[in-house]
Amino acid sequence: MSGVLLIGGSDGSCGAGVFADYETLKSLGSPGKVIITSVTSQNDSIYLGSYDLPCTSLESQFEAVSLADFNVVKIGMLPTVECVEVVSRYLDDISLQVVLDPVMQSSSGGILNSPETTLAMEKLLLPRVCLLTPNLLEARSLLKLGKDQKMAMEEMATRVLQLGSESVLLKGGHGDGTICRDILVGKVKEPSFYERNKIEEATSLRGTGCRLATAIAHFLAHGMRLEDSVMEGIEFLQEYIRKNRKN
């Protein structure tokens, strides 16, 4: 079965979160189902708040799906320690590949989890994750780097890898210059580098991180190697940005 289970927050504007994830799967032809962790109120310019679903709701959503229908799980927003604990408990005894996009802040300015939640994620989930996909800002937050602390991307990716996941794709879209450079590092393989020219106004689009992680999950679900899945996911996202960027 090549299905993908999507776990994360909803966004009523459909710009990000599990609605963007699901749209990505449908455009690529993968079956998918959704478990909602939080209901957010936001759009392209403002974040108004969120309602984090109670554990009983998360548990019932897990009970309503059959994990046998999937071979990859893509995780986005995990708003509370309790949410991390529930997700971890349901994933503990299965062999699904897990792609985790460590969503910490929305593009429209909302803070989506706490330092305590991040610590729980590192302890309970990262050892189960085959691919962690932070952007530069998320990586700096995970490493608790100060504003003035400088670190090369490759070193940053390696440091994030040491937090426990099997591999890390550090995304360079928020970096300076005209070249976008992503780095894939793993515990047993040499780093892989993905470079391309930046697309003008690409950062004006919300949900690009959600869509990239979901596209990679799709290709993994269809049996591709991780390096190839990342390449195909990046190419999918580039085409999406070209079609949808704000001119």
Side-chain angles (χ1 to χ4, degrees):
M1 183 68 181
S2 57
V4 179
L5 177 62
L6 304 169
I7 302 173
S10 73
D11 170 9
S13 71
C14 299
V18 292
F19 294 150
D21 295 338
Y22 190 75
E23 180 183 73
T24 298
L25 286 185
K26 296 298 288 184
S27 68
L28 288 168
S30 266
K33 293 183 180 178
V34 169
I35 289 177
I36 302 291
T37 61
S38 182
V39 178
T40 72
S41 302
Q42 60 179 308
N43 57 36
D44 288 352
S45 58
I46 58 172
Y47 174 87
L48 298 172
S50 61
Y51 172 74
D52 302 332
L53 271 68
C55 291
T56 52
S57 176
L58 290 177
E59 289 166 347
S60 63
Q61 289 182 74
F62 271 104
E63 295 297 331
V65 300
S66 171
L67 294 179
D69 292 339
F70 313 101
N71 53 12
V72 178
V73 177
K74 185 268 178 177
I75 302 174
M77 180 182 176
L78 298 172
T80 65
V81 172
E82 294 76 16
C83 173
V84 173
E85 291 172 343
V86 171
V87 171
S88 174
R89 186 165 69 249
Y90 276 92
L91 297 184
D92 264 350
D93 297 324
I94 56 177
S95 59
L96 302 180
Q97 297 182 87
V98 179
V99 176
L100 174 57
D101 185 26
V103 179
M104 299 176 180
Q105 181 172 333
S106 73
S107 300
S108 49
I111 302 300
L112 303 179
N113 71 5
S114 67
E116 293 77 16
T117 304
T118 301
L119 287 174
M121 180 182 71
E122 292 174 11
K123 178 181 178 180
L124 298 175
L125 278 179
L126 288 195
R128 287 278 295 108
V129 168
C130 74
L131 179 65
L132 184 70
T133 63
N135 61 31
L136 289 171
L137 300 177
E138 292 160 346
R140 292 185 66 84
S141 180
L142 287 169
L143 296 175
K144 301 176 179 60
L145 297 179
K147 292 182 179 180
D148 298 326
Q149 287 182 267
K150 305 294 184 182
M151 186 177 293
M153 278 191 69
E154 189 169 346
E155 180 183 357
M156 189 181 296
T158 301
R159 290 269 301 275
V160 173
L161 181 68
Q162 292 170 357
L163 296 177
S165 62
E166 185 177 327
S167 57
V168 171
L169 176 66
L170 179 59
K171 301 172 294 187
H174 290 87
D176 297 329
T178 60
I179 301 297
C180 182
R181 188 172 191 245
D182 302 331
I183 299 176
L184 176 66
V185 296
K187 292 181 177 179
V188 296
K189 294 183 179 180
E190 291 298 313
S192 298
F193 302 92
Y194 305 85
E195 294 186 354
R196 66 266 182 204
N197 293 326
K198 283 187 178 179
I199 301 175
E200 188 175 353
E201 298 299 326
T203 55
S204 66
L205 283 175
R206 293 171 56 235
T208 52
C210 303
R211 295 174 189 276
L212 174 58
T214 301
I216 293 171
H218 158 83
F219 292 113
L220 285 174
H222 283 75
M224 282 193 181
R225 295 187 316 127
L226 177 60
E227 294 84 353
D228 296 332
S229 296
V230 169
M231 175 62 76
E232 292 292 334
I234 289 172
E235 291 183 0
F236 167 84
L237 183 64
Q238 293 297 289
E239 184 62 25
Y240 172 83
I241 291 172
R242 292 187 188 96
K243 290 180 179 178
N244 293 277
R245 62 181 172 170
K246 298 178 181 179
N247 297 317

